[in-house]
Short mmCIF file of all heavy atoms in Angstrom, two decimals:
data_model
loop_
_atom_site.label_atom_id
_atom_site.label_comp_id
_atom_site.label_asym_id
_atom_site.label_seq_id
_atom_site.Cartn_x
_atom_site.Cartn_y
_atom_site.Cartn_z
N GLY M 919 -3.47 21.42 -0.34
CA GLY M 919 -3.69 22.61 -1.12
C GLY M 919 -2.39 23.21 -1.62
O GLY M 919 -1.22 22.73 -1.32
N ALA M 920 -2.50 24.19 -2.46
CA ALA M 920 -1.32 24.82 -3.12
C ALA M 920 -0.29 25.40 -2.12
O ALA M 920 -0.78 25.79 -1.00
CB ALA M 920 -1.83 25.90 -4.10
N THR M 921 0.95 25.43 -2.55
CA THR M 921 2.04 25.91 -1.69
C THR M 921 1.74 27.29 -1.04
O THR M 921 1.88 27.49 0.20
CB THR M 921 3.34 26.02 -2.45
OG1 THR M 921 3.56 24.73 -3.03
CG2 THR M 921 4.54 26.39 -1.56
N ALA M 922 1.32 28.24 -1.87
CA ALA M 922 1.07 29.59 -1.33
C ALA M 922 -0.39 29.67 -1.02
O ALA M 922 -1.32 29.49 -1.92
CB ALA M 922 1.38 30.63 -2.42
N PRO M 923 -0.74 29.93 0.26
CA PRO M 923 -2.14 29.90 0.71
C PRO M 923 -3.10 30.81 -0.06
O PRO M 923 -4.25 30.60 -0.17
CB PRO M 923 -2.07 30.29 2.19
CG PRO M 923 -0.69 29.78 2.63
CD PRO M 923 0.23 30.03 1.44
N GLN M 924 -2.47 31.92 -0.74
CA GLN M 924 -3.40 32.78 -1.44
C GLN M 924 -3.90 32.08 -2.68
O GLN M 924 -4.84 32.53 -3.36
CB GLN M 924 -2.80 34.15 -1.78
CG GLN M 924 -1.63 34.10 -2.77
CD GLN M 924 -0.23 34.05 -2.01
OE1 GLN M 924 -0.12 33.60 -0.95
NE2 GLN M 924 0.76 34.67 -2.62
N ASN M 925 -3.17 30.92 -3.13
CA ASN M 925 -3.60 30.21 -4.25
C ASN M 925 -4.29 28.87 -3.91
O ASN M 925 -4.77 28.16 -4.80
CB ASN M 925 -2.41 29.80 -5.14
CG ASN M 925 -1.69 31.02 -5.68
OD1 ASN M 925 -2.27 31.98 -5.97
ND2 ASN M 925 -0.34 30.93 -5.73
N SER M 926 -4.39 28.54 -2.62
CA SER M 926 -4.95 27.28 -2.27
C SER M 926 -6.45 27.40 -2.03
O SER M 926 -6.94 28.43 -1.58
CB SER M 926 -4.26 26.69 -0.98
OG SER M 926 -4.13 27.64 -0.06
N GLU M 927 -7.18 26.39 -2.59
CA GLU M 927 -8.66 26.54 -2.65
C GLU M 927 -9.25 26.44 -1.18
O GLU M 927 -8.77 25.67 -0.40
CB GLU M 927 -9.20 25.38 -3.41
CG GLU M 927 -8.83 25.37 -4.90
CD GLU M 927 -9.33 26.67 -5.62
OE1 GLU M 927 -10.44 27.09 -5.29
OE2 GLU M 927 -8.65 27.12 -6.48
N PRO M 928 -10.36 27.12 -0.97
CA PRO M 928 -11.11 26.89 0.22
C PRO M 928 -11.49 25.35 0.30
O PRO M 928 -11.70 24.77 -0.76
CB PRO M 928 -12.41 27.72 0.03
CG PRO M 928 -12.02 28.75 -0.93
CD PRO M 928 -10.97 28.13 -1.84
N GLY M 929 -11.48 24.80 1.45
CA GLY M 929 -11.72 23.35 1.55
C GLY M 929 -10.41 22.59 1.76
O GLY M 929 -10.50 21.42 2.24
N THR M 930 -9.27 23.23 1.32
CA THR M 930 -8.01 22.56 1.58
C THR M 930 -7.45 23.06 2.91
O THR M 930 -7.89 24.03 3.51
CB THR M 930 -7.01 22.86 0.47
OG1 THR M 930 -6.70 24.34 0.50
CG2 THR M 930 -7.53 22.52 -0.92
N ILE M 931 -6.49 22.35 3.45
CA ILE M 931 -5.94 22.64 4.79
C ILE M 931 -5.25 24.09 4.67
O ILE M 931 -5.63 24.89 5.58
CB ILE M 931 -4.90 21.60 5.16
CG1 ILE M 931 -5.62 20.28 5.47
CG2 ILE M 931 -4.09 22.04 6.38
CD1 ILE M 931 -4.77 19.05 5.62
N ARG M 932 -4.44 24.31 3.70
CA ARG M 932 -3.86 25.67 3.60
C ARG M 932 -4.92 26.68 3.20
O ARG M 932 -4.82 27.84 3.73
CB ARG M 932 -2.68 25.63 2.62
CG ARG M 932 -1.42 24.86 3.09
CD ARG M 932 -0.40 24.66 2.08
NE ARG M 932 0.82 24.05 2.45
CZ ARG M 932 1.65 23.55 1.69
NH1 ARG M 932 1.47 23.49 0.31
NH2 ARG M 932 2.81 22.95 2.12
N GLY M 933 -5.76 26.32 2.40
CA GLY M 933 -6.86 27.34 2.00
C GLY M 933 -7.70 27.71 3.16
O GLY M 933 -8.08 28.90 3.27
N ASP M 934 -7.96 26.81 4.06
CA ASP M 934 -8.90 27.14 5.18
C ASP M 934 -8.14 27.70 6.38
O ASP M 934 -8.70 28.47 7.10
CB ASP M 934 -9.57 25.85 5.65
CG ASP M 934 -10.61 25.41 4.72
OD1 ASP M 934 -11.00 26.11 3.74
OD2 ASP M 934 -11.08 24.20 4.83
N LEU M 935 -6.81 27.39 6.51
CA LEU M 935 -6.15 27.65 7.77
C LEU M 935 -4.89 28.50 7.69
O LEU M 935 -4.30 28.77 8.77
CB LEU M 935 -5.86 26.31 8.44
CG LEU M 935 -7.04 25.34 8.65
CD1 LEU M 935 -6.45 24.01 9.11
CD2 LEU M 935 -7.99 25.87 9.71
N ALA M 936 -4.42 28.89 6.53
CA ALA M 936 -3.21 29.67 6.50
C ALA M 936 -3.28 30.77 5.50
O ALA M 936 -4.14 30.81 4.58
CB ALA M 936 -2.06 28.70 6.00
N ILE M 937 -2.47 31.82 5.71
CA ILE M 937 -2.35 33.00 4.80
C ILE M 937 -1.00 33.26 4.24
O ILE M 937 -0.90 34.04 3.26
CB ILE M 937 -2.95 34.25 5.47
CG1 ILE M 937 -2.26 34.56 6.75
CG2 ILE M 937 -4.49 34.19 5.66
CD1 ILE M 937 -2.71 35.86 7.45
N SER M 938 0.04 32.64 4.75
CA SER M 938 1.42 33.00 4.34
C SER M 938 2.17 31.74 3.78
O SER M 938 2.15 30.71 4.38
CB SER M 938 2.14 33.61 5.55
OG SER M 938 3.47 33.61 5.41
N VAL M 939 2.86 32.01 2.67
CA VAL M 939 3.68 30.86 2.09
C VAL M 939 4.74 30.35 3.05
O VAL M 939 5.11 29.18 3.07
CB VAL M 939 4.23 31.26 0.75
CG1 VAL M 939 5.30 32.28 0.78
CG2 VAL M 939 4.74 29.99 -0.05
N GLY M 940 5.27 31.27 3.86
CA GLY M 940 6.41 30.90 4.74
C GLY M 940 5.80 30.26 6.03
O GLY M 940 6.63 29.80 6.89
N ARG M 941 4.49 30.29 6.19
CA ARG M 941 3.89 29.76 7.44
C ARG M 941 2.65 28.95 6.95
O ARG M 941 1.55 29.30 7.35
CB ARG M 941 3.44 30.90 8.43
CG ARG M 941 4.58 31.72 8.95
CD ARG M 941 5.44 30.93 9.99
NE ARG M 941 6.44 31.78 10.57
CZ ARG M 941 7.63 32.00 10.10
NH1 ARG M 941 7.99 31.44 8.98
NH2 ARG M 941 8.49 32.82 10.76
#
Side-chain angles (χ1 to χ4, degrees):
T921 305
Q924 69 265 29
N925 300 325
S926 45
E927 296 298 325
T930 65
I931 292 166
R932 288 171 177 162
D934 290 346
L935 303 170
I937 52 175
S938 160
V939 68
R941 298 288 184 273

